[in-house]
Amino acid sequence: MHIVIMGCGRVGSTLAHILEDKGHSVAIIDQSPEAFRRLRGTFKGRRVIGMGFDRDVLIEAQIEKASAFVAVSSGDNSNIISARVARETFGVENVVARIYDSRRAEVYQRLGIPTVATVRWTAEQMLRRLLPDGAMPLWRDPTGEVKLAEVQTDPAWIGARVADLESAARTRVAFLNRLGEAVVPTGDTVIQDGDVVHVMARTADIDRITEALAERVQEGE
């Protein structure tokens, strides 16, 4: 594939190197010629000076044959405008923009522009480690109605079948993180010590599911 990247900072240059190593052709855009110093000497892709929302700059980067466009400059507005130009003017379907303001990210997600909200992502990663109790969302759909969440479980669930856990919480287990590896369970899969449970559920149900799994109630209690 040919991929156009706007922004030759640490993220943009790293993406350029990874994509080129995987055999893709890459063009990277930045308004500062100095930014291209982050690229290794063997980088074979195009270096284009300018703004990523400028039609002529995008054409020089061969946007017309691009399969994907990535906007990872330091400016939210520039990233979004560039992503919209790539999609709406040049018809690039696979477009992603980095956004620092999580409130904007929600809006653009609803407009159909996939975004990576770096501040929110970093904050949630930190919270998962600082506040182990409860469920922290790993993913949510653009409407915010469905989440993939990591759920803390009562140690009493160790040795129980996944089917029993699902029945108690009235939900489905998406996967287990077992010693760093993802396991897609069946109903007969047995919960082991150290397993981290991940559920996919409606946002409105997450608190109920968390409460149900936080303390296992045995039959007859």
Side-chain angles (χ1 to χ4, degrees):
M1 296 192 301
H2 180 60
I3 299 163
V4 177
I5 300 172
M6 188 192 86
C8 193
R10 285 177 296 178
V11 175
S13 59
T14 300
L15 282 173
H17 293 150
I18 292 172
L19 290 167
E20 187 173 71
D21 289 345
K22 290 181 177 294
H24 302 295
S25 67
V26 179
I28 189 159
I29 300 168
D30 203 289
Q31 59 182 328
S32 171
E34 299 296 317
F36 298 124
R37 291 184 176 180
R38 292 188 175 91
L39 297 171
R40 62 194 176 198
T42 57
F43 180 70
K44 298 178 181 178
R46 288 174 171 255
R47 299 168 174 85
V48 182
I49 300 172
M51 299 299 297
F53 48 79
D54 184 298
R55 285 174 52 94
D56 293 335
V57 169
L58 288 169
I59 290 172
E60 185 179 349
Q62 298 183 316
I63 191 70
E64 292 164 309
K65 73 170 190 176
S67 299
F69 178 83
V70 183
V72 288
S73 77
S74 59
D76 284 4
N77 290 336
S78 297
N79 288 341
I80 285 299
I81 293 170
S82 299
R84 294 193 65 179
V85 171
R87 168 170 285 179
E88 297 169 13
T89 302
F90 293 97
V92 181
E93 292 186 6
N94 192 4
V95 172
V96 181
R98 179 175 67 176
I99 301 296
Y100 287 92
D101 186 338
S102 60
R103 293 168 299 179
R104 289 185 178 185
E106 296 287 344
V107 172
Y108 293 123
Q109 287 274 75
R110 290 189 176 96
L111 291 175
I113 301 173
T115 59
V116 177
T118 55
V119 174
R120 182 179 65 202
W121 184 88
T122 302
E124 289 181 351
Q125 292 291 315
M126 291 292 183
L127 284 170
R128 265 194 289 278
R129 288 156 178 76
L130 291 170
L131 306 173
D133 294 333
M136 288 299 299
L138 298 169
W139 173 90
R140 55 182 167 183
D141 79 311
T143 68
E145 302 227 350
V146 177
K147 289 183 179 179
L148 173 65
E150 174 185 315
V151 184
Q152 298 298 313
T153 56
D154 184 348
W157 284 108
I158 296 171
R161 297 186 312 139
V162 165
D164 297 329
L165 183 147
E166 291 178 330
S167 177
R170 304 201 311 275
T171 191
R172 294 297 301 273
V173 174
F175 69 95
L176 304 173
N177 186 318
R178 178 170 291 171
L179 300 176
E181 294 188 1
V183 175
V184 178
T186 67
D188 290 329
T189 299
V190 175
I191 303 293
Q192 297 182 12
D193 188 14
D195 283 355
V196 180
V197 177
H198 296 78
V199 300
M200 182 75 79
R202 292 174 61 249
T203 300
D205 291 335
I206 291 293
D207 287 345
R208 175 187 59 75
I209 293 168
T210 300
E211 184 176 349
L213 297 182
E215 183 178 359
R216 185 182 183 190
V217 178
Q218 303 283 359
E219 290 185 13
E221 291 184 4

